[in-house]
């Protein structure tokens, strides 16, 4: 590296100007920080949340000079070695004499010390000469001299040299925002080998300052003390510095949210959740938790997960240390007896002993065969068995058949008939093996609302206002994350949300939608269009993405493709239901006006062949103080897809469960 004094004058002046500008900027920022309070620490610990620093208007410049504690995980890292100061060149006198002992930059060295330092060199020269002329040094002709054994190394020479000084530059994120803080750690504070690996957890204390070199970081933290280091096993850590595909991250669902993309999606999901609660709270709704385990089929034709305690398999499970240990002992005995038989055969000295040993070996083989047959009948670990081939429901935990709920709207009705306006938010379960995992998972969260004294149009209005509210909410509350998602996932996501907020939604009847789709001649649908079928994803996509290019509400569907509780219209063919279809995703919200007439509900239950005894509690709501009411259910995971532009619902769910996959 060229020395500073050898740089051209213009280069040196530019460098001085840059350092002067940096000093002036730091001084200005420090003066501003004196008038601005330090970033507040988290309420329940002494660390400062990075979002409070990095997402301010000045990017944290106003806090320069403040001492703070931050914690997070290393996203990227690099180590830069420091340049060691070069020793000045030795200048010999003009006459070629010795260097003066008092010359600057040199230690005082006496002549004796110089000779002692050169003794090993003299010895090496003598050995080389001795190898070339044996007789002169007492050696015999034709024989090689014995090499003298080198003296053992001194303890000082065995001491390992310390690593050269360096500076580590880390990008640390604490999960509060998409941005990361640059953290600078000198090797004198701690060994860089401890915290350089990606994923290392750090809790550090230091001073916020302006970066020494201009770049994309407006501030950086100069670390003075490391309070905690959570190391990682580099060879086993699933995340790397390079971008990992989302499909690969699904295999490490307990770590994937440490990636910037998944972390941003989950913060958006959190904002959507809080925004929905805010909308319903401001609208006078009460939050109700509906049961997950139920004996009522909320739709009458859905695939359900049965919940039971009968499939324990404990009765037939082998005891620990039983057959497995006996089998190992028998195998060891067979090996020992076989060796004895072979030895007796070779000796041929005692035929009676050989016959006895063969008989003993045969009995042991028979015992091993019996144990193997028993083990084959014993179920393997994880194989479920019962006391009998059929489940005895009377012995089950609830003494009746129950399953995981597919919808909470029936239970919400009972509370709507008492509290007026209610909503629920929670997981719903569908045991559908053939559903497209891109848009359907076995466990999906639903946001459901029920409004007393209302009709179908009221539910449609509420659903439309709710969608616009949470779209606006996420744009205001997740500016940094939406900017990152726009750059990384979908460049149109922000424009799509803004258009959803500003436009008026198209409302068409099911019959009109079928007629519109029938007129499409330049597009071939896989499913032929006839009245009475449930519109497929390709039909809905065409209406929202190509025909109207905005959200579309389709209402009044045929009765045979809708749940039994939907109110029958006057034409006796359709029911008061609606689907809200949005671009890019498809059907996002489904709603209905529910049937308040008890005889109509009873007729529909019988038509579907459902056990009416399970719905007596539901019919009681019609017997005692019935009321017109309506509601809707929003597929919350699909809402995350609509906001972020992700193509697969599994990437919008923290721990997705799909057919054949239930990690963690």
């Amino acid at each position: 590296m060229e020395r500073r004094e050898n740089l051209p004058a213009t280069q040196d002046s530019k460098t001085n100007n840059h350092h002067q500008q940096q000093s002036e900027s730091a001084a200005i920022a420090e003066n501003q920080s004196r008038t601005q309070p330090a970033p507040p620490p988290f309420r329940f610990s002494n660390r400062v949340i990075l979002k409070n620093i990095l997402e301010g208007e000045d990017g944290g410049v106003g806090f320069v000079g403040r001492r703070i504690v931050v914690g997070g995980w290393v996203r990227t890292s690099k180590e830069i070695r420091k340049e060691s100061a070069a020793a000045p060149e030795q200048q010999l006198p003009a006459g070629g004499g010795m260097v003066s002992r008092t010359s600057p930059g040199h230690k005082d060295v006496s002549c004796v010390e110089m000779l002692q330092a050169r003794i090993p060199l003299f010895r090496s020269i003598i050995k080389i000469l001795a190898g070339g002329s044996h007789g002169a040094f007492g050696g015999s002709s034709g024989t090689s001299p014995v090499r003298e054994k080198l003296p053992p190394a001194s303890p000082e020479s065995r001491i390992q040299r310390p690593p050269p000084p360096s500076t580590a530059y880390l990008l640390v994120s604490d999960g509060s925002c998409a941005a990361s803080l640059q953290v600078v750690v000198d090797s004198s504070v701690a060994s860089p080998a401890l915290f350089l690996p990606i994923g290392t957890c750090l809790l550090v204390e230091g001073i916020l300052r302006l970066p020494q070199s201009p770049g994309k970081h407006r501030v950086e933290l100069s670390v003075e003390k490391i309070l905690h280091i959570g190391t990682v096993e580099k060879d086993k850590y699933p995340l790397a510095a390079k971008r990992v595909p989302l499909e690969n991250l699904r295999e490490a669902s307990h770590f994937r949210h440490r990636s910037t993309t998944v972390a941003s999606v989950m913060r958006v999901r959190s904002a959507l959740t809080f925004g929905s609660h805010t909308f319903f709270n401001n609208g006078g709704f009460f939050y109700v938790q509906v049961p997950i385990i139920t004996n009522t089929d909320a739709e009458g034709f859905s695939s359900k997960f049965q919940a039971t305690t009968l499939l324990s398999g404990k009765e037939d499970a082998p005891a620990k240390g039983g057959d497995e240990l006996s089998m190992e002992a028998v195998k060891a005995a067979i090996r020992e007896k076989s060796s004895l038989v072979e030895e007796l055969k070779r000796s041929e000295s005692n035929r009676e002993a050989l016959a006895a040993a063969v008989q003993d070996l045969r009995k042991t083989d028979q015992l091993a065969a019996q144990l193997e047959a028993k083990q084959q009948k014993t179920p393997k670990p994880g194989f479920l068995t019962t006391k009998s081939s059929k489940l005895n429901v009377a012995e089950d935990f609830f003494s009746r058949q129950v399953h995981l709920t597919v919808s909470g709207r029936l239970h919400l009705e009972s509370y709507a008939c008492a509290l007026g306006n209610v909503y629920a938010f929670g997981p719903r379960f569908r045991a559908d093996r053939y559903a497209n995992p891109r848009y359907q998972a076995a466990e999906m969260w639903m946001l459901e609302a029920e409004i007393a004294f209302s009709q179908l149009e009221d539910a449609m209005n509420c659903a439309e206002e709710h969608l616009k509210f949470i779209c606006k909410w996420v744009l205001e509350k997740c500016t940094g994350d939406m900017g990152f998602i726009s750059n990384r996932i979908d460049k149109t996501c922000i424009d799509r949300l803004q258009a959803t907020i500003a436009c008026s939604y198209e409302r068409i009847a099911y019959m009109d939608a079928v007629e519109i789709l029938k007129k499409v001649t330049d597009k071939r649908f896989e499913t032929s269009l006839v009245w009475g079928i449930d519109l497929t994803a390709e039909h809905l996509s065409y209406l929202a993405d190509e025909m109207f290019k905005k959200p579309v509400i389709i209402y009044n569907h045929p009765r045979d493709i809708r749940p039994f509780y939907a109110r029958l219209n006057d034409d006796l063919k359709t029911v008061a239901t609606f689907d809200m279809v949005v671009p890019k995703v498809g059907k996002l919200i489904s709603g209905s006006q529910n049937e308040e007439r008890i005889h109509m509900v009873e007729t529909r239950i019988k038509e579907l062949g459902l056990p009416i005894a399970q719905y007596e509690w539901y019919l009681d709501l019609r017997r005692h103080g019935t009321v017109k009411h309506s509601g809707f259910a929003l597929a919350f995971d699909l809402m995350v897809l609509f906001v972020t532009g992700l193509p697969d619902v599994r990437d919008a769910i923290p721990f997705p469960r799909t057919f054949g996959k239930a990690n963690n």
Side-chain angles (χ1 to χ4, degrees):
M1 171 96 35
E2 234 184 46
R3 298 193 184 181
R4 180 71 178 275
E5 55 267 27
N6 295 333
L7 291 174
T10 54
Q11 179 73 18
D12 192 38
S13 61
K14 289 181 180 180
T15 305
N16 291 334
N17 291 337
H18 170 69
H19 286 293
Q20 184 177 359
Q21 292 174 0
Q22 287 289 106
S23 301
E24 293 175 356
S25 301
I28 295 173
E30 187 173 355
N31 292 332
Q32 292 176 349
S33 68
R34 291 172 182 172
T35 61
Q36 183 175 346
F42 183 54
R43 182 178 177 183
F44 304 107
S45 72
N46 63 341
R47 71 182 181 94
V48 175
I49 304 299
L50 294 185
K51 181 178 181 179
N52 297 336
I53 301 174
L54 302 177
E55 289 199 349
E57 294 182 358
D58 61 353
V61 175
F63 299 126
V64 168
R66 298 289 186 178
R67 177 182 297 275
I68 61 172
V69 174
V70 300
W73 291 265
V74 177
R75 292 200 182 278
T76 62
S77 63
K78 65 177 179 179
E79 182 182 9
I80 298 179
R81 305 287 184 184
K82 293 183 179 179
E83 297 179 12
S84 58
E89 296 179 359
Q90 297 182 3
Q91 299 291 334
L92 294 176
M98 297 295 296
V99 179
S100 172
R101 294 178 56 189
T102 58
S103 300
H106 296 273
K107 299 171 69 174
D108 294 340
V109 182
S110 64
C111 294
V112 175
E113 290 173 341
M114 293 179 64
L115 289 173
Q116 289 177 347
R118 287 166 171 75
I119 288 176
L121 177 61
F122 295 153
R123 287 179 177 174
S124 300
I125 295 174
I126 293 173
K127 290 177 184 179
I128 294 173
L129 295 176
S133 53
H134 304 284
F137 291 89
S140 59
S141 177
T143 60
S144 301
V146 179
R147 179 173 296 179
E148 183 179 344
K149 187 176 180 180
L150 295 177
S154 61
E156 291 78 5
S157 63
R158 290 196 297 265
I159 299 177
Q160 295 182 353
R161 294 183 179 180
S166 63
T167 302
Y169 292 86
L170 315 172
L171 285 186
V172 174
S173 172
D174 65 355
S176 62
C177 59
S180 300
L181 176 66
Q182 180 165 282
V183 175
V184 183
V185 187
D186 193 87
S187 58
S188 60
V189 177
S191 173
L194 297 175
F195 50 78
L196 282 178
I198 306 302
T200 302
C201 179
L202 286 178
L203 183 67
V204 297
E205 180 180 345
I207 305 295
L208 272 180
R209 69 183 187 189
L210 296 176
Q212 294 180 351
S213 58
K216 63 179 181 179
H217 302 286
R218 303 187 67 177
V219 294
E220 65 183 19
L221 183 70
S222 179
V223 174
E224 296 181 351
K225 186 187 301 183
I226 295 183
L227 307 177
H228 170 76
I229 298 179
T231 59
V232 301
E233 297 182 28
K234 294 188 294 184
D235 298 336
K236 298 181 180 180
Y237 189 61
L239 303 183
K242 295 182 179 179
R243 190 184 304 179
V244 182
L246 291 175
E247 55 269 20
N248 294 349
L249 288 175
R250 295 185 205 125
E251 301 302 322
S253 56
H254 54 303
F255 280 121
R256 64 175 185 163
H257 33 279
R258 293 191 186 183
S259 65
T260 308
T261 300
V262 178
S264 292
V265 172
M266 293 306 155
R267 283 190 292 267
V268 167
R269 184 185 178 99
S270 175
L272 289 171
T273 302
F274 191 75
S276 296
H277 283 294
T278 303
F279 172 83
F280 287 110
N281 184 64
N282 295 343
F285 286 74
F286 295 101
Y287 180 39
V288 176
Q289 293 82 26
V290 297
I292 291 178
I293 299 176
T294 178
N295 67 330
T296 305
D297 188 349
E299 295 180 349
F301 48 77
S302 54
S303 301
K304 304 176 293 295
F305 288 100
Q306 183 176 350
T308 179
T309 60
L310 296 179
L311 303 178
S312 61
K314 293 180 180 179
E315 293 82 3
D316 299 328
K320 274 191 176 181
D323 293 342
E324 294 88 346
L325 181 60
S326 300
M327 191 62 191
E328 291 299 324
V330 170
K331 288 181 178 180
I334 290 175
R335 290 192 295 269
E336 183 179 351
K337 296 179 186 300
S338 298
S339 301
L340 178 60
V341 169
E342 293 297 328
E343 184 178 351
L344 292 174
K345 284 182 179 180
R346 287 193 299 269
S347 63
E348 296 183 356
S349 59
N350 193 339
R351 295 183 180 274
E352 293 180 359
L354 175 60
V358 170
Q359 183 66 19
D360 192 14
L361 177 60
R362 186 179 296 111
K363 290 181 179 180
T364 309
D365 287 336
Q366 291 175 356
L367 178 60
Q370 292 175 1
L371 288 176
E372 287 181 357
K374 186 177 180 180
Q375 285 185 350
Q376 288 178 358
K377 293 181 180 179
T378 302
K380 296 179 180 180
F383 185 84
L384 299 177
T385 62
T386 59
K387 293 181 179 179
S388 61
S389 58
K390 294 184 179 180
L391 297 178
N392 188 354
V393 178
E395 297 180 0
D396 207 348
F397 187 86
F398 295 104
S399 299
R400 63 175 61 188
Q401 188 175 1
V402 296
H403 54 264
L404 303 181
T405 183
V406 298
S407 173
R409 287 198 57 197
L410 297 189
H411 292 88
L412 273 182
E413 281 190 44
S414 65
Y415 271 81
C417 293
L419 303 182
N421 308 318
V422 294
Y423 76 102
F425 183 54
R428 307 293 178 253
F429 307 88
R430 293 181 183 272
D432 190 350
R433 297 190 178 193
Y434 306 103
N436 184 354
R438 292 185 60 191
Y439 294 98
Q440 182 70 44
E443 178 186 354
M444 295 186 69
W445 281 62
M446 303 294 290
L447 184 66
E448 299 158 323
E450 207 68 33
I451 311 169
F453 306 101
S454 67
Q455 300 184 30
L456 180 65
E457 187 174 358
D458 301 316
M460 290 192 291
N461 293 337
C462 182
E464 182 175 340
E465 287 190 21
H466 173 255
L467 180 59
K468 291 183 176 182
F469 181 89
I470 57 178
C471 287
K472 183 178 179 181
W473 180 276
V474 77
L475 286 177
E476 293 176 350
K477 305 297 182 180
C478 299
T479 306
D481 287 311
M482 289 305 299
F484 174 82
I485 290 171
S486 177
N487 293 330
R488 183 67 62 88
I489 300 175
D490 182 8
K491 298 185 181 300
T492 65
C493 63
I494 296 178
D495 294 336
R496 182 170 60 253
L497 296 184
Q498 291 175 341
T500 302
I501 298 169
C503 71
S504 59
Y505 300 174
E506 191 71 26
R507 299 188 181 187
I508 58 174
Y510 168 87
M511 187 177 298
D512 296 333
V514 171
E515 294 301 322
I516 291 174
L517 293 170
K518 283 182 178 180
K519 295 178 182 179
V520 178
T521 57
D522 60 338
K523 189 175 184 67
R524 297 180 180 273
F525 299 117
E526 293 184 4
T527 305
S528 58
L529 279 164
V530 293
W531 193 93
I533 69 166
D534 201 0
L535 297 181
T536 64
E538 59 179 351
H539 298 146
L540 302 178
S541 177
Y542 176 80
L543 292 173
D545 291 86
E546 300 183 38
M547 181 71 184
F548 298 104
K549 298 182 179 180
K550 61 180 179 179
V552 180
I553 298 177
I554 305 172
Y555 59 91
N556 289 346
H557 294 81
R559 57 179 291 181
D560 294 335
I561 61 174
R562 292 290 138 160
F564 71 92
Y565 54 78
R567 194 180 197 279
L568 188 65
N569 290 327
D570 295 337
D571 59 8
L572 304 181
K573 294 182 180 180
T574 61
V575 288
T577 59
F578 77 92
D579 288 339
M580 181 182 293
V581 185
V582 296
K584 197 173 182 67
V585 171
K587 183 166 63 175
L588 180 63
I589 301 176
S590 293
S592 66
Q593 179 180 340
N594 293 3
E595 186 64 76
E596 81 280 4
R597 298 165 292 186
I598 186 171
H599 66 282
M600 291 292 189
V601 180
E602 290 176 333
T603 301
R604 288 289 290 145
I605 291 176
K606 292 178 181 178
E607 288 178 355
L608 294 174
L610 301 175
I612 197 167
Q614 294 182 2
Y615 298 91
E616 283 299 327
W617 70 270
Y618 187 70
L619 295 173
D620 280 346
L621 301 177
R622 275 77 185 160
R623 295 187 182 103
H624 310 292
T626 186
V627 61
K628 286 187 176 182
H629 54 282
S630 62
F632 62 89
L634 178 145
F636 189 77
D637 304 297
L638 298 184
M639 182 66 201
V640 179
L641 294 192
F642 176 69
V643 172
T644 61
L646 286 169
D648 198 312
V649 73
R650 290 172 290 184
D651 299 321
I653 301 175
F655 294 94
R657 274 83 174 92
T658 57
F659 176 59
K661 289 285 187 179
N663 295 336
N664 305 104

